[in-house]
Amino acid sequence: MRSAFKKLPAEKHSIDIGLLFAVTLCAAISSLLIYSIVENKVLDGIGSSYWKTQLFSMGVGVVGAVIMSFIDYHKLVKLWFIYAPAALLLVALTFTSLGYQREGADDKAWLNLGFIMFQPSETMKLVFILTFSYHLSRDEEEMNKPSHMALLIAHGLLPIGLVGLQGDYGTAIVFAAIFAFMICSANISWKYLLAAPFVIAAGIAAMWFFLLGTEHKKRILILFHPGSDPEYIEYQQDLGLAALKSGGVFGKGLFSGNEEYIAVPEMHNDFIYTYAGQVFGFVGSMGLLIVLMYICLKIFGDSRVTRDHLGKYICMGAFGLVFSHCIMNIGMVLKVAPVIGVPLPFLSAGGTAMISMYAVIGLVLSTYSHRAKNYNVFYDEDEDEN
């Protein structure tokens, strides 16, 4: 059995409506939550521009994703020589005077161009999924040869290293997750899989002793000693947990007055799930988790009906991106993971993150709309020759 994908003429264009609806539902809820934060004056310094940016980014994202669904992903990956150098240049500019470090952040990962401020690593996620998918599809027959595997690993380490140098370790982990899901979905030898845990352990040890600062180490160690530093390291997470609990079963509602809400730092951004818990309660916050789970499962399901391996790799990269963001963000809010500044997909405030996430969904829609008419996971090419 040489291939699981039967090459057939693409069927008439169609869009994965379920996936597009789910992500847009989350984006709409995000705009509503941020609007509620502004109207209730829960956080200082959060004005109407935040929810307006969120709404605008959602509109641009929906239109962009639909347009991308009409574009054959095979054509997109072949333009890597245009967008890959551009993405690398944008990330490199963060190390110049144009680089900007947000107040309270540990990383210098933003570009301030005067008329706009954005995070180049968000664009890099999309570019990495495209270029690494193309690399895997071109090299899948030879990928288990040491020289070819070395090139694939180097490809993965490039964005991980760049964002790590920025100090954005959360995004570095996201890139590592994307790399892992994509390469494990390819024809990788079991020998590499057996060696992977030892390599990962060595990498973690190297990061601990040579890269992580004292502050980052404290955020990790505090998870094993809860309650030992409630006034400093644990403050934001403890406040977030209190906010979640305060919502009860059905929540306080979106507009009940600012005196009833617990203000959590970055509640409009990385900790937006704590506000969702307050206004929607346990039922509503669990509903959001179900929608996010549906998005992840839908992307994974679409990877099983793609036209070829290239489409599968793109979907698995998108799955790795959304899944790792969800796990790390919710874990951070529930105090089972350190605070590392990873936003909740389609919910946290941020125009760059919203549009880049929609662009990734657009890639998945492209693989879905250009899928084969029929799909049989047990298809044997030899049968077609008889």
Side-chain angles (χ1 to χ4, degrees):
M1 185 178 290
R2 293 194 295 261
S3 175
F5 294 88
K6 187 173 182 177
K7 296 183 178 180
L8 296 170
E11 65 176 13
K12 188 177 180 180
H13 182 274
S14 61
I15 294 179
D16 189 341
I17 296 296
L19 177 60
L20 185 60
F21 175 79
V23 298
T24 304
L25 175 63
C26 287
I29 291 173
S30 168
S31 301
L32 184 62
L33 288 172
I34 297 170
Y35 177 76
S36 174
I37 291 173
V38 173
E39 288 299 302
N40 291 320
K41 299 178 181 178
V42 183
L43 286 179
D44 294 332
I46 306 301
S48 60
S49 62
Y50 282 84
W51 65 263
K52 290 177 180 178
T53 298
Q54 204 74 346
L55 269 180
F56 175 78
S57 301
M58 180 184 73
V60 172
V62 171
V63 173
V66 172
I67 291 174
M68 288 182 70
S69 73
F70 284 89
I71 303 174
D72 190 340
Y73 57 93
H74 295 91
K75 296 178 180 178
L76 287 174
V77 297
K78 291 179 180 178
L79 296 175
W80 66 269
F81 60 90
I82 297 176
Y83 51 74
L88 288 171
L89 175 62
L90 289 174
V91 173
L93 287 175
T94 62
F95 298 100
T96 70
S97 59
L98 295 175
Y100 176 76
Q101 184 171 348
R102 295 174 60 201
E103 185 178 352
D106 301 323
D107 56 312
K108 189 177 180 182
W110 291 74
L111 275 183
N112 189 353
L113 302 180
F115 62 95
I116 189 174
M117 189 168 63
F118 67 99
Q119 195 171 7
S121 60
E122 295 295 336
T123 306
M124 179 66 79
K125 293 172 186 174
L126 174 68
V127 171
F128 178 66
I129 290 173
L130 282 169
T131 57
F132 197 58
S133 296
Y134 191 45
H135 192 166
L136 281 172
S137 67
R138 292 287 299 270
D139 218 24
E140 58 186 346
E141 297 298 328
E142 307 290 336
M143 65 174 290
N144 288 309
K145 293 181 178 179
S147 58
H148 290 259
M149 181 57 67
L151 289 175
L152 288 169
I153 293 173
H155 192 158
L157 287 177
L158 179 60
I160 295 172
L162 282 174
V163 296
L165 288 173
Q166 289 177 333
D168 191 354
Y169 299 122
T171 301
I173 294 173
V174 170
F175 274 110
I178 296 172
F179 172 83
F181 277 107
M182 292 179 72
I183 202 164
C184 286
S185 67
N187 187 33
I188 187 171
S189 170
W190 61 270
K191 296 178 182 178
Y192 292 111
L193 293 177
L194 286 178
F198 300 98
V199 175
I200 293 171
I204 292 174
M207 286 185 62
W208 182 265
F209 291 107
F210 302 109
L211 292 178
L212 295 182
T214 303
E215 188 76 10
H216 296 101
K217 291 180 180 179
K218 284 182 179 179
R219 292 181 185 180
I220 297 172
L221 292 174
I222 206 70
L223 299 175
F224 301 97
H225 306 282
S228 59
D229 194 9
E231 299 299 321
Y232 181 42
I233 296 294
E234 297 178 272
Y235 175 75
Q236 187 179 21
Q237 288 178 303
D238 287 344
L239 202 59
L241 287 174
L244 276 173
K245 294 176 183 177
S246 70
V249 179
F250 298 107
K252 303 173 181 178
L254 288 163
F255 307 102
S256 299
N258 62 322
E259 71 279 1
E260 295 188 20
Y261 300 101
I262 298 176
V264 181
E266 295 297 319
M267 188 165 60
H268 64 299
N269 195 357
D270 297 343
F271 276 74
I272 196 166
Y273 192 68
T274 65
Y275 192 66
Q278 288 191 74
V279 300
F280 297 140
F282 175 79
V283 173
S285 57
M286 286 302 296
L288 274 180
L289 282 184
I290 290 172
V291 175
L292 290 171
M293 187 185 303
Y294 172 82
I295 292 171
C296 291
L297 292 176
K298 201 73 173 70
I299 295 172
F300 184 81
D302 286 349
S303 74
R304 305 298 298 165
V305 295
T306 56
R307 186 176 180 80
D308 52 19
H309 286 138
L310 175 61
K312 180 182 74 169
Y313 300 145
I314 289 174
C315 288
M316 289 306 297
F319 172 80
L321 171 64
V322 178
F323 180 75
S324 61
H325 266 266
C326 290
I327 291 295
M328 293 168 66
N329 182 274
I330 299 299
M332 178 176 67
V333 170
L334 297 180
K335 205 179 176 181
V336 295
V339 178
I340 48 178
V342 174
L344 192 58
F346 305 103
L347 287 161
S348 293
T352 307
M354 179 71 78
I355 292 174
S356 65
M357 279 288 183
Y358 261 108
V360 171
I361 295 300
L363 287 178
V364 177
L365 295 180
S366 175
T367 66
Y368 182 86
S369 63
H370 294 87
R371 69 193 187 283
K373 287 182 179 179
N374 298 311
Y375 171 75
N376 184 355
V377 71
F378 301 111
Y379 173 72
D380 191 336
E381 289 182 350
D382 294 332
E383 294 177 2
D384 202 42
E385 297 173 0
N386 296 332

